[in-house]
Amino acid sequence: MGSEDVLKGASALASYNVVLQVAFRLLTFFLNAFTLRFVSKELIGVVNVRLMLLYSTLVFLSREAFRRACLSGGGEQANWRQNINLLWLTFPLGCAWAVLLVGVWAFVLQAPDPQAIPNYLPAVCLFCWAALQELLAEPLWVLAHTHMLVQLKVIAESLAMVAKCIVTMVMVVFSPVWGLYIFAAAQCVYSGFLVLCYIVYFTRFLGSAEADKKGFPLQNITETLPRRTHGESVFNWKLARLTWSFFKQSFLKQILTEGERYVMTFLNVLNFGEQGVYDIINNLGSMVARFLFLPIEESFYVFFTKVLERGRSVHQQKREEVAMAADVLECLLKLVLVIGLIIAVFGQAYAQLALDIYGGDLLSSGAGPSLLRFYSSYVLLLAVNGVTECFTFALMSNEEVDRYNFVMLGMSVCFLLLSYWLTGLFGGVGFILANCCNMLLRIAHSTAFMHRYFSSSEYVPLSGLRPHPALLLSLGLSYSLTALSESVFCCDGGWLLRLVHIAVGGACLLGVMATVFVTETRLVNFIRSQLLPRYSKKRT
């Protein structure tokens, strides 16, 4: 697969992933708004913080290292049998993690009041079972991602999420007394649908004319099961060593990713009700990061690993591929910077209104608006970090990955200490401030790597982090106008004044977008040619 084909595939994958994540976040958005009317914020805190932390920890620690390693080496068709054998280790590893984590969640952590929130232990076991179900699809997920089967992920995850939402809404309305069982059953349905969709797709796809046309390395669904080939070792030991390097790093990355939930869960700095409110604000604030930035990061990680060779300097790569990678990296940095700045600016004046519409006084009173305002600024750092780490992790050598583990260890310790200290001072806002400090350190490390990598060449992709002065001016004017509008029209004067406030924000946003269109022509051309699905289809 040539570099242009890889770029087209990564662009299409990012586009479809963005659409998918938008749909997911909207479904989750409305689902949370719906369930808030039927269940307590304490129950939401237990599910969304305690139990979903269990789920994400088990899944992430079991598969993340294998994903990153096998995506780096997945282009070698001769090694697919060994790669699949390696990927199947995720399930027994997940079983081992499940035993350990169930013990911690059930017998070490403080359990919720059984009178207010019953059935905690069965819910812990069911969430672990759902996570183990999802791990069964891991070899198929890597196969699909490596060969740019972009529609599969969209279909599978869409069906799974719709099924989860239907189960949750029906059970919340008709059997609210089931409490935690509702959310545990919905999570099991989600992971089960996900696995089923992948199995059905590959059963029909493998051996078909389309698979032969793509040069797919497997012919039958049974070939995705682990087996030993005569004359070959069971695993690709080079990838196994890389997996081990990523595995050591995955502990620290998980702490950095879910750090505030670990602090809330293990140190009890917030009660379950406060955790529920914080989690709702966190989900709202991170919506754009999840449905836009994360798909871009995942898709272009594949692009960079295929176009550039891991561990080699810029002069050891093909010149035309370095030029393409530098150009794409610069445009991606500019894209996420612009989006992050817009969210940071407009989030200040519209945080309280958004929470009032979404959850009423439960969210718009108290610390909710302050949490969302701070989170809007944090999204800017999330955006930049996603792309910088995407490139850095795709190009690091095994030795550099190992060294970075020590860096992440220091970051993890600092983050946990900062979270505990700042939360004691500022409550939930302290978590966001600690995350900001952590993200700044990670960005500094990644940009330093990128600067060293391109320093001996004529390419300067980090210039993508310099916004045009006209854009900064338009953002500054928008901030002033929307802040004035909030003080005059929002949020106690009725819907008519609120609509005026929204109209002011819409006009300012149009002005900012017009400024981007005029001043960032290179970025506009990149979006038009690479990221919009209809243009990507034309190019193919």
PDB file of all heavy atoms in Angstrom, residues 280-292:
ATOM      1  N   ILE A 280     -20.666  13.926  35.032  1.00  0.00           N
ATOM      2  CA  ILE A 280     -21.538  14.479  33.995  1.00  0.00           C
ATOM      3  C   ILE A 280     -20.878  15.687  33.337  1.00  0.00           C
ATOM      4  O   ILE A 280     -20.866  15.827  32.105  1.00  0.00           O
ATOM      5  CB  ILE A 280     -22.907  14.866  34.597  1.00  0.00           C
ATOM      6  CG1 ILE A 280     -23.652  13.609  35.045  1.00  0.00           C
ATOM      7  CG2 ILE A 280     -23.741  15.636  33.584  1.00  0.00           C
ATOM      8  CD1 ILE A 280     -24.888  13.894  35.871  1.00  0.00           C
ATOM      9  N   ILE A 281     -20.302  16.561  34.155  1.00  0.00           N
ATOM     10  CA  ILE A 281     -19.598  17.732  33.614  1.00  0.00           C
ATOM     11  C   ILE A 281     -18.405  17.282  32.775  1.00  0.00           C
ATOM     12  O   ILE A 281     -18.145  17.817  31.683  1.00  0.00           O
ATOM     13  CB  ILE A 281     -19.111  18.652  34.752  1.00  0.00           C
ATOM     14  CG1 ILE A 281     -20.283  19.128  35.617  1.00  0.00           C
ATOM     15  CG2 ILE A 281     -18.343  19.844  34.180  1.00  0.00           C
ATOM     16  CD1 ILE A 281     -21.292  19.958  34.905  1.00  0.00           C
ATOM     17  N   ASN A 282     -17.683  16.289  33.249  1.00  0.00           N
ATOM     18  CA  ASN A 282     -16.525  15.773  32.527  1.00  0.00           C
ATOM     19  C   ASN A 282     -16.937  15.218  31.163  1.00  0.00           C
ATOM     20  O   ASN A 282     -16.268  15.451  30.152  1.00  0.00           O
ATOM     21  CB  ASN A 282     -15.852  14.684  33.355  1.00  0.00           C
ATOM     22  CG  ASN A 282     -14.636  14.095  32.672  1.00  0.00           C
ATOM     23  OD1 ASN A 282     -13.679  14.809  32.370  1.00  0.00           O
ATOM     24  ND2 ASN A 282     -14.667  12.803  32.425  1.00  0.00           N
ATOM     25  N   ASN A 283     -18.055  14.483  31.118  1.00  0.00           N
ATOM     26  CA  ASN A 283     -18.526  13.935  29.847  1.00  0.00           C
ATOM     27  C   ASN A 283     -18.956  15.033  28.884  1.00  0.00           C
ATOM     28  O   ASN A 283     -18.691  14.956  27.680  1.00  0.00           O
ATOM     29  CB  ASN A 283     -19.695  12.969  30.091  1.00  0.00           C
ATOM     30  CG  ASN A 283     -19.236  11.648  30.657  1.00  0.00           C
ATOM     31  OD1 ASN A 283     -18.110  11.221  30.430  1.00  0.00           O
ATOM     32  ND2 ASN A 283     -20.093  11.000  31.430  1.00  0.00           N
ATOM     33  N   LEU A 284     -19.627  16.056  29.408  1.00  0.00           N
ATOM     34  CA  LEU A 284     -20.012  17.179  28.557  1.00  0.00           C
ATOM     35  C   LEU A 284     -18.793  17.920  28.036  1.00  0.00           C
ATOM     36  O   LEU A 284     -18.685  18.239  26.850  1.00  0.00           O
ATOM     37  CB  LEU A 284     -20.909  18.144  29.344  1.00  0.00           C
ATOM     38  CG  LEU A 284     -22.339  17.700  29.630  1.00  0.00           C
ATOM     39  CD1 LEU A 284     -23.016  18.691  30.561  1.00  0.00           C
ATOM     40  CD2 LEU A 284     -23.124  17.567  28.343  1.00  0.00           C
ATOM     41  N   GLY A 285     -17.847  18.190  28.936  1.00  0.00           N
ATOM     42  CA  GLY A 285     -16.674  18.956  28.545  1.00  0.00           C
ATOM     43  C   GLY A 285     -15.778  18.226  27.574  1.00  0.00           C
ATOM     44  O   GLY A 285     -15.138  18.838  26.711  1.00  0.00           O
ATOM     45  N   SER A 286     -15.726  16.903  27.710  1.00  0.00           N
ATOM     46  CA  SER A 286     -14.827  16.134  26.844  1.00  0.00           C
ATOM     47  C   SER A 286     -15.509  15.611  25.592  1.00  0.00           C
ATOM     48  O   SER A 286     -14.917  14.831  24.856  1.00  0.00           O
ATOM     49  CB  SER A 286     -14.271  14.941  27.635  1.00  0.00           C
ATOM     50  OG  SER A 286     -15.307  14.053  28.006  1.00  0.00           O
ATOM     51  N   MET A 287     -16.750  16.031  25.350  1.00  0.00           N
ATOM     52  CA  MET A 287     -17.496  15.482  24.220  1.00  0.00           C
ATOM     53  C   MET A 287     -16.762  15.698  22.904  1.00  0.00           C
ATOM     54  O   MET A 287     -16.575  14.773  22.103  1.00  0.00           O
ATOM     55  CB  MET A 287     -18.888  16.108  24.159  1.00  0.00           C
ATOM     56  CG  MET A 287     -19.795  15.469  23.115  1.00  0.00           C
ATOM     57  SD  MET A 287     -21.441  16.202  23.101  1.00  0.00           S
ATOM     58  CE  MET A 287     -22.046  15.685  24.701  1.00  0.00           C
ATOM     59  N   VAL A 288     -16.301  16.927  22.673  1.00  0.00           N
ATOM     60  CA  VAL A 288     -15.608  17.214  21.416  1.00  0.00           C
ATOM     61  C   VAL A 288     -14.288  16.453  21.353  1.00  0.00           C
ATOM     62  O   VAL A 288     -13.912  15.923  20.306  1.00  0.00           O
ATOM     63  CB  VAL A 288     -15.376  18.728  21.261  1.00  0.00           C
ATOM     64  CG1 VAL A 288     -14.527  19.018  20.033  1.00  0.00           C
ATOM     65  CG2 VAL A 288     -16.708  19.449  21.149  1.00  0.00           C
ATOM     66  N   ALA A 289     -13.588  16.374  22.491  1.00  0.00           N
ATOM     67  CA  ALA A 289     -12.320  15.647  22.508  1.00  0.00           C
ATOM     68  C   ALA A 289     -12.522  14.187  22.134  1.00  0.00           C
ATOM     69  O   ALA A 289     -11.722  13.598  21.411  1.00  0.00           O
ATOM     70  CB  ALA A 289     -11.671  15.757  23.890  1.00  0.00           C
ATOM     71  N   ARG A 290     -13.613  13.597  22.609  1.00  0.00           N
ATOM     72  CA  ARG A 290     -13.858  12.188  22.352  1.00  0.00           C
ATOM     73  C   ARG A 290     -14.343  11.935  20.932  1.00  0.00           C
ATOM     74  O   ARG A 290     -13.918  10.993  20.275  1.00  0.00           O
ATOM     75  CB  ARG A 290     -14.881  11.644  23.366  1.00  0.00           C
ATOM     76  CG  ARG A 290     -14.352  11.584  24.787  1.00  0.00           C
ATOM     77  CD  ARG A 290     -15.444  11.134  25.744  1.00  0.00           C
ATOM     78  NE  ARG A 290     -15.006  11.181  27.129  1.00  0.00           N
ATOM     79  CZ  ARG A 290     -14.385  10.204  27.752  1.00  0.00           C
ATOM     80  NH1 ARG A 290     -14.111   9.101  27.106  1.00  0.00           N
ATOM     81  NH2 ARG A 290     -14.026  10.317  29.015  1.00  0.00           N
ATOM     82  N   PHE A 291     -15.270  12.769  20.439  1.00  0.00           N
ATOM     83  CA  PHE A 291     -15.822  12.442  19.126  1.00  0.00           C
ATOM     84  C   PHE A 291     -15.039  13.055  17.977  1.00  0.00           C
ATOM     85  O   PHE A 291     -15.254  12.687  16.824  1.00  0.00           O
ATOM     86  CB  PHE A 291     -17.321  12.783  19.014  1.00  0.00           C
ATOM     87  CG  PHE A 291     -17.686  14.243  18.920  1.00  0.00           C
ATOM     88  CD1 PHE A 291     -17.244  15.031  17.886  1.00  0.00           C
ATOM     89  CD2 PHE A 291     -18.548  14.801  19.852  1.00  0.00           C
ATOM     90  CE1 PHE A 291     -17.623  16.362  17.786  1.00  0.00           C
ATOM     91  CE2 PHE A 291     -18.932  16.127  19.754  1.00  0.00           C
ATOM     92  CZ  PHE A 291     -18.468  16.915  18.718  1.00  0.00           C
ATOM     93  N   LEU A 292     -14.105  13.943  18.243  1.00  0.00           N
ATOM     94  CA  LEU A 292     -13.338  14.534  17.145  1.00  0.00           C
ATOM     95  C   LEU A 292     -11.848  14.266  17.278  1.00  0.00           C
ATOM     96  O   LEU A 292     -11.221  13.723  16.368  1.00  0.00           O
ATOM     97  CB  LEU A 292     -13.598  16.044  17.094  1.00  0.00           C
ATOM     98  CG  LEU A 292     -12.941  16.802  15.929  1.00  0.00           C
ATOM     99  CD1 LEU A 292     -13.411  16.213  14.606  1.00  0.00           C
ATOM    100  CD2 LEU A 292     -13.290  18.280  15.997  1.00  0.00           C
TER     101      LEU A 292
END
